[in-house]
């Protein structure tokens, strides 16, 4: 596998990056423990102009400060006080774009993922949904600000390349508060992958 470099993350089009992350491999290596999975669902958040983004209107807080760093950083936040959600910061410094990783198809370290999640068997709920992704890979809010160009948390490309017709665009999930922006086709999924979250009918609808 080839680790994605800073040029991949530092581009201006966060929607394109979210789409291109489909099929890539998200890896964590903490000590000798390695876990990984193929990314099958993402959501783009376009910063200051995006009502669904934590940085809408240029909002800048202690939590979101990492979004204003150069692309290639991890932004991990706590949702509902329970779920640690892993995001990839993109674009140049002071432009707060990010991509939420919503689901992965497990590849390596499945037994470790089961231990971390407390599950008895490796069914599709293991890494379906962003909270489960982080739990299975051992990612938490303490990893916010970590550099994805290093070896502990990174994204890589292997020989797998999904066909364009198999990458489907839909509106994002759970952002009804964002008004018109809630309908933007900023969510990408790998067609027919069982780890993708959301309703089955939703998976079949394409706005691409």
């Amino acid at each position: 596998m080839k680790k994605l470099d800073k040029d991949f993350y530092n581009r201006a089009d966060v929607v394109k990056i979210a789409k291109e992350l489909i099929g890539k491999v998200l890896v964590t290596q903490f000590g000798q423990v390695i876990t990984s999975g193929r990314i099958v669902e993402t959501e783009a958040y376009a910063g200051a102009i995006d009502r669904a983004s934590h940085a809408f209107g240029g909002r800048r807080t202690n939590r979101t400060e990492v979004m204003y760093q150069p692309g290639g950083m991890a932004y991990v936040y706590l949702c509902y006080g329970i779920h640690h959600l892993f995001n990839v910061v993109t674009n140049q410094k002071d432009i707060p774009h990010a991509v939420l990783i919503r689901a992965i198809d497990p590849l390596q370290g499945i037994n470790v993922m089961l231990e971390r999640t407390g599950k008895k068997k490796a069914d599709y709920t293991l890494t379906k949904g962003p909270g489960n992704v982080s739990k299975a890979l051992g990612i938490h809010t303490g990893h916010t600000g970590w550099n994805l160009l290093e070896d502990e948390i990174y994204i890589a490309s292997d020989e797998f390349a999904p066909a364009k017709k198999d990458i489907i665009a839909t509106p994002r999930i759970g952002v009804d508060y964002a008004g018109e922006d809630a309908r933007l086709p900023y969510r990408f999924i790998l067609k027919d992958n069982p780890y993708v979250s959301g309703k089955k009918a939703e998976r079949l609808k394409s706005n691409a």
Side-chain angles (χ1 to χ4, degrees), residues 42-108:
T42 61
E43 285 182 345
Y45 289 86
I49 63 170
D50 183 353
R51 290 177 178 83
S53 172
H54 291 168
F56 174 62
R59 187 184 304 119
R60 202 160 181 163
T61 66
N62 289 337
R63 183 179 76 164
T64 63
E65 184 62 30
V66 67
M67 296 179 71
Y68 290 85
Q69 300 307 305
M73 309 290 281
Y75 170 39
V76 189
Y77 66 88
L78 197 62
C79 182
Y80 303 127
I82 303 173
H83 305 294
H84 298 251
L85 306 192
F86 172 73
N87 298 258
V88 177
V89 175
T90 67
N91 214 317
Q92 304 294 319
K93 182 176 174 60
D94 293 326
I95 303 177
H97 288 177
V99 178
L100 172 65
I101 306 302
R102 286 195 55 92
I104 62 171
D105 193 331
L107 293 175
Q108 190 173 5

Side-chain angles (χ1 to χ4, degrees), residues 27-48:
V27 182
T28 62
Q29 180 171 353
F30 304 126
Q32 300 300 311
V33 179
I34 301 175
T35 50
S36 69
R38 192 173 306 285
I39 297 170
V40 296
E41 182 180 1
T42 61
E43 285 182 345
Y45 289 86

